[in-house]
Amino acid sequence: MLDHANHPAAPETFSGDRGLDHEEPLLFEIGRADVTGVDIAEPEPFASRLGALERKGPIGLPGLTEPEAVRHYIRLSRKNYSIDAGLYPLGSCTMKHNPRLGEKMARLDGFADIHPLQPQSTARGALALMEELSRFLLALTNMSAVALSPKAGAHGELCGLMTIEAALRARGEARTRRTVLIPQSAHGTNPASAALLGFEVRAIPAGEDGIVHADAVAAALDDSVAAIMLTNPNTCGLFERDVVEIARLVHEAGGYFYCDGANFNAIAGVARPGDMGVDAMHLNLHKTFSTPHGGGGPGAGPVVLSARLARFAPVPFLLREGGELRLVEHANETQSLGRLTAFHGQMGMFVRALSYLLSHGGDGVAQASRDAVLAANYLRARLRDVMTQPFGDRICMHEALFDDSFLKGTGVTTLDFAKAMIDEGYHPMTIYFPLVVHGAMLIEPTESESKSSLDRFVSTLRALAESAKRGETERFTQAPRHAPRRRPDETAAARKPVLRWRG
Amino acid sequence: MRYLPLTDEDRAKMREAIGVATIDELYADVPKDVLLKAPLDLPRGAPEMEVERRLAALARENVPASRAFLGAGAYRHHIPASVDHLIQRSEFLTSYTPYQPEISQGTLQVLFEFQTQVAALTGMEIANASMYDGSTACAEAALMAHRLTKRRKAVLSGGLHPHYAEVVRTISRFAGDEVVTLPPDIFAREDVAAHIDADVSCVIVQTPDVFGNLRDLSPIAEACHAEGALLVAVFTEAVSLGLLTPPGAFGADIVVGEGQSLGNPLSFGGPYVGLFATKREHLRQTPGRLCGETADADGRRSFVLTLSAREQHIRRDKATSNICTNSGLCALAFSIHLTLLGETGLRRLARANHASAVRLAERLAPIAGVDVLNDAFFNEFTLRVRGDAAALVETMAARGVLAGVPVSRLLPGAGLDDLLIVASTEVVTEADRDAFVAAIEGAL
Amino acid sequence: MSGERYTKDHEYVRLEGQGDDEVAVVGVTDYAQAQLGDIVFIELPEPGARVDKGGQLATIESVKAASEVYSPISGEIISANDALDDEPGSVNEDPLGRGWLAKLRIVDATELEGLMDENAYRAFVESL
C-alpha cells in the first residue's frame, strides 16, 4: 500500500511539472526590470519639483506583462488549500463559507471609491452603514456602545484593555490596578496585549473539566486586578458555565470583564455577552460574520462596550445628534482614550459583514450558531470511540477538542496525524492549541458543511485513527506525500533566515 | 437559508447520533437566565436581491471620489483589472494564515515576493509580511525602537500625519512611554536634531510629509545615530518611492508606510496594508509574521512562516507585538500591482503622478487668494486659501469637486484653518483640473 | 568542587580556572536540549550585566517554543558564547562543551552547595 515510501527526490517528468501540479519560479527569476504589464503614457514635458531628492540607481523590481502575471499568480494560487475547495476544520479560526455577495457589495463605487477624509456630508451612506452594522452588533451582544475602528481581534483586545485602563484612570486606580487575570488556555494575543500595555499577567488555572471555576477566580482576585480576560466559549470549545458568577466576583473586586469574542459564533443570537456581565468584547468580523480570511488578513475587530466603558471608546466614533449622524474624529473635549488607527476602521469588512447579517437576519444568525454547535457535537459523537477527549465525554460548543492519548504508543504524533489529513485532501485541524491539552487537536467544522461532507470527514478521520493504531506509522511520519510540498525544514529556515530573494 | 446546508432531517439525525433530543440540550452549560427566550429584535433574513438593493441604496448616498483631489494618507490610483480578478481567486481569498506550509505554498511564495518587493522599494534589508496599516506600523516601529535602544522616548516630526502621531501618542500613553510632538511644520523647516538627546529612542519623520513636502532624511539619520537613537522613516504614498530616494538610502533604521496606493481601493479608510522594513540586525525585534525560504523533505525549495518564537502565539506576554491577523489579501493586491508595474511601470506611474500635481499647482498658482506653499513635492501639496478651507471644500463639493483635505480636519484648533492639502494622481485629467480651477475660482 | 552542578530547571554550572581567574561556566543539560528540540536561536546576556541566582540568564528558541534559562548562580557576566549566533545547534550537539551559554564571575560560592551533583541530577532526571 505504501509503495511510494521512497518518494523520488527528483520529479519523474522532463518539465519538472506533474499534470496540474506546476512548479512556479519566483517573480524575480521570470520578471525583468524593463518589462511592464501596465501601459502608462509618458507625461508631457514638465518642470520637476522634486528638488535634489530624485531616486538614483535601479530599484530592483522586475515586472511581468499581464498574461505572465496572471499565469504566475494562478499557478501559485493552485498550491493553496481554501474553504471554497474543502472543509477547513481549524478550531478557533472559524473557516466558514464566505458569501460572494459581500465581495460584490464591497466593490460598489459608493463603498470602494470613497475617501476617508472626504467631507462627511458626501459620505452619508457610509456612516449609515456603520450605524446599521453597529445596531446589529449591539443587539446581538446587548452592550451599550461599539468601537468600530480596531483592525483585527488583537487590535480589539488593545482597544478593550485601553478603555478599561481609561476607566481606572477616571477612578484614580490606574496605578494600583496593574494585573490582568488570564487562563492558561487563552489565545496568545491576550497576554501579549496585556503586556504591551504594561499589565502584569496572572494565570488562572482551569479545573479538571476544562473550564475556569468561580472559586479559582475568587482566589486570584485582589485590589491589584484591573481585569479578567476570558474567552467564552473557551478555547477548549466549552462554555464557561461560571461566567455570570465570575463577572459578579470581578466587578465586586473592582475589576472589569474583558471577553475574547473569537468564539462568539457559537452563541450569536442564542445568548448575549451583555447579559453575562461582560464589559468589553471584540468581535472578529472575519470569523463570526464571515468576511474572508484572505490568507491571513485583513480582519476587523470592533469592540462592544458596557455602559461603564462606553464613554472611553476611541475616536472616530459615530454620534447621532438631532437626526444628523456624524463621526467624531478628535478625542479632545471627550473622554475618548484616543486613536488606534489612521482612519475609520475596516470599511470594506463592514460592508461584507453587514451583507452577511442582512442575509441571515436575526433568525439566521441564531440558526447558524446552532448548526455550528450541532456539527461540532456530531463530529465529537462520531469520533469519540476512536479518538480521545481530554475532559471526558461531554457536550461542546462550536468546536470539538481531542488530545493525543489515542495515539499513545503508536509512534504517531499529533503533527503526523495532521499531516496525514493533508494526504486525504483535508486541511488539518488546529493542533497543539490550546496549550493546556497534550497534543491538542481542535476541530471546528462550522455551519457551512452539509451532513454528507461531515460524514465523509468522519470516515476519513476514523480510518486514520484506526490506521495509526494498527501501526501503519509510515503513512503518518512520511506525510504529506500528495501535497505540492512535503514537510519543509523549519529548523533550517529559522537558523539561517532567508527572508528575501537575492539574485 | 441559502448559506446553511443542513436540512431539518439532517439535524434530527445528527441530534440522534449525539444522543440529544433538542438543540437546547447542547446549550445546557449556558446559564438558563442568560439564554434568550425570544428571538432578538432584528430584521429577518433576506434574499440576495433584497440585500443587494438595500446596500446599493446606501452606496448611492455616498459621492464617489471620481473627481477628487484627496490625499493625506489615502490615494486614488487606477487599479489594473487583473489585480482585482486575481485576489478573488478562492485559494487566496478563502484560505487561512499559512500555518500548514505543504498546502499553502501559494500564499507563502507571495509573501516572500512581497517582502522582497517592500525591501527593494524602501531600500532596506528585510521587510515583514505586513501590518494593519501605515499608522499601526508606525506605532509598532516606535515600540520596536524602544526595545532596541532600551529607551522610551519618541520624537515626532511636525510633518508626520497627525493621525499617525495620534496613534503613536495613544499607545505610548498607555504603555507608559514618552512622546515629544513637534509643532505642525508646514514648510519642512523644523530642527529635529535639536530635540534628540540621550533619552530619545527614535525620531519619526515622514517624507513626503503630510503637507506634501519632500525631506532629506540624511542629516536627521546622522543626528539620531550620533546619540544612539534610531530614525523611523514614514511614507503614506508608496508610489512616491518610484521617483524618490528611498528611506534606506538616507540611513533610516526602520521604514514604515501605507501600501494602499498600490492595488487597494480607498474604501473609506480600510482595509489597507502596513509596510514594515528594517535592517537585518533588528530581525529578532521585528513585529509581525515573516516568511522564509527553506527546502522540503525532497530538497525542493519551499517557503514557511519562520522566526515565530517572536510572536504572540508562542511568546505570549513576551512577544514583540500582539499582532496576529495582518493584511494578507491587501499585501497580495499590493504585490500583484507592483509585479504588473515592474520597475519601468512604477517609475512611469510615479512620473505621471508628479506631472499631474505639478500641472495642478501651475494652474492654481496664478489664482488670487490661493498660494501653493511647497517648494518640492511629489503628488500632493498644501494651499493657503483666502478664508476657511473646510468651508471652501464644502462649497466646491456642491459643485462636484472634492477639492482636498482641509488641515483643520486633521488638526482642529491649530490655527491652520486656511490650509488645504491637495493631491493629484494619474487618474486626474485635464478636464478635472479645469473643473477644480473653475470651482475654486467660483467659491473664493 | 569538580565537574558540573545542576539545577532542577536543567541548567548546569562548572567552575574553571583558579583564584582570580576562576569563572563559572553556565549552560543547559543534555536532557534540556533534548526536550527543547532543534534550537534555532539563543538570546545571550550582555557581558558586564549582573544576574541573580534564579534570575533570567538567556532565552532559547526552538522552532515552536521559546524557553527561559535561569542562572544557577549569582554573578557578573564575563562573556557570552557568541559562537552560538552562527551555530545554535551546538547546544543540541554538545551542551556541556561547545554549547555553553555564559561565563560568570561568582559572587557567593556557597550558592553552589545547594545544587545537585551529577549523581543526584541523574537520579532526578530518571524520576521525571
Side-chain angles (χ1 to χ4, degrees), chain C residues 80-102:
Chain C
N81 187 1
D82 294 331
L84 298 177
D85 287 349
D86 286 327
E87 295 292 340
S90 300
V91 177
N92 291 120
E93 293 146 18
D94 188 11
L96 270 60
R98 280 185 295 122
W100 63 276
L101 300 179

Side-chain angles (χ1 to χ4, degrees), chain A residues 33 36-37 42 59 61 73 80 84 104 113-114 132 266 329-330 337 341-342 359 371 394 419 489, chain B residues 2 11 27 29 52 54 65 76 90 100 107 133 163 173 241 243 268 294 339-341 343-344 351 409:
Chain A
T36 182
E42 276 294 334
I59 309 175
L61 292 171
Y73 290 103
N80 275 1
D84 280 355
K104 185 177 177 186
D113 200 17
I114 53 173
E132 184 152 1
E329 293 179 288
H330 295 281
L337 65 88
T341 173
S359 294
D371 280 0
R394 50 165 299 178
K419 298 300 184 192
D489 185 344
Chain B
R2 61 186 179 276
R11 292 178 181 123
Y27 284 98
D29 287 341
E52 203 168 323
R54 170 97 190 82
R76 186 163 187 269
S90 294
Q100 297 290 341
T107 294
D133 70 8
H163 286 182
R173 193 158 63 242
L241 293 172
L243 212 48
F268 207 48
T294 186
T339 297
L340 282 163
L341 285 165
E343 186 143 348
T344 303
R351 263 201 306 280
R409 174 97 182 247

Side-chain angles (χ1 to χ4, degrees), chain A residues 7 18 25 27 29 33-34 36-37 42 44 49 53-55 57-61 63-64 72-73 76-77 79-84 88 93 98-99 104-105 107 110 112-118 121-123 125-126 132 151 154 162 169 186 188-189 192-193 195 197 241 266 270 275 292-298 329-330 337 339 341-342 346-348 358-363 367 371 373 394 397 419 447-448 484-489 497-501, chain B residues 1-5 11 25-27 29 34 36 43-46 52 54-55 58-59 62-63 65 70-71 74 76 84 88-97 100 102-104 106-107 109 112-113 115-116 121 124-125 133 135 163 170 173-174 241 243-245 266-268 270-271 280 283 289 291-298 300-302 304 306 312 316-317 322 326 328-329 339-344 347-348 351 354 359 374-377 394 409-410 412:
Chain A
H7 195 91
R18 281 170 295 183
L27 155 67
E29 294 159 343
D34 58 348
T36 182
E42 276 294 334
E44 300 285 314
R49 298 278 293 265
L53 298 171
E54 189 156 354
R55 187 189 267 273
I59 309 175
L61 292 171
L64 297 174
H72 180 63
Y73 290 103
L76 288 181
S77 76
K79 300 174 189 300
N80 275 1
Y81 195 88
S82 65
I83 177 66
D84 280 355
Y88 213 130
C93 302
N98 302 135
K104 185 177 177 186
M105 294 299 96
R107 284 171 172 78
D113 200 17
I114 53 173
H115 191 283
L117 297 174
Q118 69 186 58
S121 59
T122 65
E132 184 152 1
K151 294 278 187 173
M162 284 175 172
R169 278 182 196 196
T189 49
S193 298
L197 299 178
R241 266 195 315 251
V270 178
D275 297 335
H293 280 76
E329 293 179 288
H330 295 281
L337 65 88
R339 174 177 280 278
T341 173
Q346 309 284 61
M347 182 65 176
L358 289 170
S359 294
H360 276 84
D363 50 329
Q367 186 62 53
D371 280 0
V373 169
R394 50 165 299 178
M397 289 274 96
K419 298 300 184 192
E447 70 276 17
S448 301
R485 282 292 180 271
R486 298 189 63 215
R487 290 189 209 183
D489 185 344
V498 178
L499 304 176
R500 62 178 291 189
W501 181 81
Chain B
M1 207 285 139
R2 61 186 179 276
Y3 302 143
L4 300 177
R11 292 178 181 123
E25 290 177 45
L26 297 179
Y27 284 98
D29 287 341
V34 301
L36 289 168
R44 292 190 63 79
E52 203 168 323
R54 170 97 190 82
L55 290 173
L58 285 175
N62 300 320
V63 179
L70 299 142
R76 186 163 187 269
D84 197 43
Q88 288 189 76
R89 276 290 288 199
S90 294
E91 298 87 341
F92 290 131
L93 184 71
T94 76
S95 55
Y96 196 70
T97 305
Q100 297 290 341
E102 299 89 345
I103 46 174
S104 309
T107 294
Q109 184 168 333
F112 188 78
E113 293 179 355
Q115 289 173 181
T116 307
L121 195 62
M124 300 300 284
E125 290 169 340
D133 70 8
S135 67
H163 286 182
T170 300
R173 193 158 63 242
F174 285 91
L241 293 172
L243 212 48
L244 297 176
T245 306
L266 288 169
S267 204
F268 207 48
R280 201 183 157 83
L283 185 58
R289 295 179 188 137
C291 173
E293 183 184 319
T294 186
D296 78 351
D298 288 338
R300 291 182 294 176
R301 178 166 67 191
S302 309
V304 291
T306 191
Q312 48 76 26
R316 299 176 79 84
D317 54 330
N322 72 333
N326 60 13
L329 201 72
T339 297
L340 282 163
L341 285 165
E343 186 143 348
T344 303
R347 283 176 188 278
R348 264 185 216 151
R351 263 201 306 280
H354 186 44
R359 236 168 238 135
N374 310 56
D375 290 331
F377 59 85
E394 292 283 351
R409 174 97 182 247
L410 304 173

Side-chain angles (χ1 to χ4, degrees), chain B residues 381-394:
Chain B
F381 50 83
T382 300
L383 297 179
R384 174 163 280 142
V385 297
R386 193 165 60 219
D388 182 75
L392 177 73
V393 166
E394 292 283 351

Side-chain angles (χ1 to χ4, degrees), chain B residues 237-388:
Chain B
E237 171 52 291
V239 172
S240 69
L241 293 172
L243 212 48
L244 297 176
T245 306
F250 289 131
D253 300 282
I254 305 172
V255 180
V256 292
E258 177 53 66
Q260 170 271 329
S261 278
L262 291 171
N264 289 281
L266 288 169
S267 204
F268 207 48
Y272 290 173
V273 49
L275 310 180
F276 195 107
T278 186
K279 296 177 172 170
R280 201 183 157 83
E281 65 192 88
H282 303 323
L283 185 58
R284 300 277 163 183
Q285 287 301 333
T286 302
R289 295 179 188 137
L290 291 165
C291 173
E293 183 184 319
T294 186
D296 78 351
D298 288 338
R300 291 182 294 176
R301 178 166 67 191
S302 309
F303 300 95
V304 291
L305 291 181
T306 191
L307 300 164
S308 308
R310 298 165 299 113
E311 292 182 74
Q312 48 76 26
H313 60 282
I314 292 178
R315 203 61 147 245
R316 299 176 79 84
D317 54 330
K318 297 197 172 64
T320 54
S321 166
N322 72 333
I323 192 170
C324 179
T325 294
N326 60 13
S327 291
L329 201 72
C330 303
L332 172 68
F334 174 97
S335 190
I336 297 173
H337 194 178
L338 200 48
T339 297
L340 282 163
L341 285 165
E343 186 143 348
T344 303
L346 180 68
R347 283 176 188 278
R348 264 185 216 151
L349 177 63
R351 263 201 306 280
N353 272 264
H354 186 44
S356 173
V358 168
R359 236 168 238 135
L360 182 65
E362 285 168 355
R363 295 281 307 270
L364 295 174
I367 299 173
V370 176
D371 288 316
V372 178
L373 299 186
N374 310 56
D375 290 331
F377 59 85
F378 172 63
N379 67 356
E380 189 167 30
F381 50 83
T382 300
L383 297 179
R384 174 163 280 142
V385 297
R386 193 165 60 219
D388 182 75

Side-chain angles (χ1 to χ4, degrees), chain A residues 91 141 161 177 221 236 263 318 339 353 372 395 412 414 467:
Chain A
T141 56
L161 289 174
R177 293 190 177 266
L221 281 170
C236 301
N263 293 337
L318 285 170
R339 174 177 280 278
I395 54 166
V412 175
T414 289
S467 170

Side-chain angles (χ1 to χ4, degrees), chain B residues 387-404:
Chain B
D388 182 75
L392 177 73
V393 166
E394 292 283 351
T395 311
M396 290 174 70
R399 294 166 198 228
V401 175
L402 298 178

